[in-house]
Amino acid sequence: MRDAAIPRSARTDRPALIAVAHGSRDPRSAATMAAVVADIASARPDIDVRLAFLDLSAPSVDRVVDAVAAQGHTHAVVAPLLLGSAFHARIDLPALLDAARARHPRLRLTQADVLGPDPRLVDALRDRVRQTLDPETRPRRVGVAVAAVGSSNAAANTRTADVARRLAADTGWLTEICYATTEPTLGEAAARLRARGADRVLVAPWFLAPGLLTDRLACAAPDLVHADVIGAHPALIDIAWDRYDVARVDAMALTA
């Protein structure tokens, strides 16, 4: 993120990190992910860290890869800042990287794993919920509707639902999963939590950044308290660098 502050030799003798976010028409999303990547970069100032977007926001993955190649790097780790391994991570990004390899045959591009599932992300979600709870007036039974994007793939939704189960196991809160784009809806999850005896129902967005879908959730349940998105949580720094290190070591092993 700070090319001028990093000597050229330091930038090019270690793999660069290209952190790839989803992208959104909502400018708050890009601003949040820029803050996330700034925190990631500050943890290891000796490594060249770049932010790229898959869609709707700039700079694009193509543009950032071209810039990394022009900077003289011979290897870059591409880390998807995504909560799940769905279409973008399995299809879109690999296709973009294949095209980039054809343009830059001297630049090795290694795709890292997505952020989730990772227990530290559930911890981050727990922290965001706790920030909404007044310690002096906490209800006896907290109900948390974990709200995610949702997918047309039932198996993907089942994997996402595990986040709510992990949060319940960690905190003792009542939890239900819901989705912004499919069923069960937030209203259905809130009703289930009340039926289970929740004194207060909160919404925990399983999103890295705010945007159109988090706004949709807020409009769907304006009477509920909505926790912040995960955003620039310290856990993301550790997870992103873990993904980088694993991908870098695996790439080295393949050439050994």
Side-chain angles (χ1 to χ4, degrees):
M1 296 278 290
R2 302 172 305 285
D3 292 347
I6 306 173
R8 181 180 178 84
S9 60
R11 287 199 300 265
T12 55
D13 65 2
R14 300 178 183 88
L17 169 60
I18 302 176
V20 179
H22 187 285
S24 170
R25 292 184 178 87
D26 191 320
R28 294 173 299 167
S29 177
T32 300
M33 297 315 299
V36 168
V37 175
D39 285 348
I40 292 170
S42 67
R44 294 193 187 180
D46 58 326
I47 294 176
D48 188 0
V49 178
R50 313 281 183 115
L51 170 62
F53 294 95
L54 284 165
D55 196 13
L56 302 173
S57 301
S60 67
V61 174
D62 283 344
R63 179 181 170 188
V64 172
V65 170
D66 292 348
V68 166
Q71 195 69 43
H73 284 285
T74 58
H75 187 193
V77 172
V78 181
L81 300 184
L82 302 171
L83 292 175
S85 184
F87 189 86
H88 287 300
R90 293 184 291 103
I91 306 298
D92 284 348
L93 186 55
L96 289 171
L97 297 185
D98 283 344
R101 292 183 184 101
R103 294 196 309 276
H104 304 290
R106 296 184 180 180
L107 175 62
R108 183 172 193 180
L109 295 169
T110 303
Q111 183 174 335
D113 200 1
V114 296
L115 297 174
D118 191 292
R120 290 169 291 184
L121 283 174
V122 179
D123 291 345
L125 189 69
R126 176 203 61 205
D127 291 346
R128 294 302 185 229
V129 173
R130 283 180 173 165
Q131 289 166 1
T132 70
L133 292 172
D134 185 339
E136 296 183 0
T137 59
R138 285 182 178 175
R140 291 188 304 276
R141 300 202 76 189
V142 175
V144 180
V146 178
V149 175
S151 171
S152 58
N153 185 312
N157 290 336
T158 298
R159 289 192 295 270
T160 303
D162 190 51
V163 173
R165 290 189 288 269
R166 291 185 185 184
L167 184 64
D170 181 50
T171 63
W173 296 333
L174 302 173
T175 67
E176 291 283 345
I177 192 68
C178 60
Y179 303 101
T181 60
T182 189
E183 295 181 343
T185 66
L186 175 52
E188 291 168 337
R192 290 175 183 173
L193 289 166
R194 292 189 181 102
R196 293 172 61 191
D199 297 318
R200 184 181 180 190
V201 175
L202 307 171
V203 182
W206 183 242
F207 290 80
L208 292 180
L212 301 178
L213 291 181
T214 55
D215 284 352
R216 180 188 298 180
L217 291 165
C219 290
D223 56 319
L224 300 181
V225 173
H226 292 246
D228 287 339
V229 295
I230 294 172
H233 191 281
L236 290 185
I237 300 173
D238 294 337
I239 298 169
W241 284 118
D242 284 351
R243 300 295 185 263
Y244 170 92
D245 288 335
V246 169
R248 178 178 57 85
V249 169
D250 287 348
M252 292 174 59
L254 288 174
T255 59

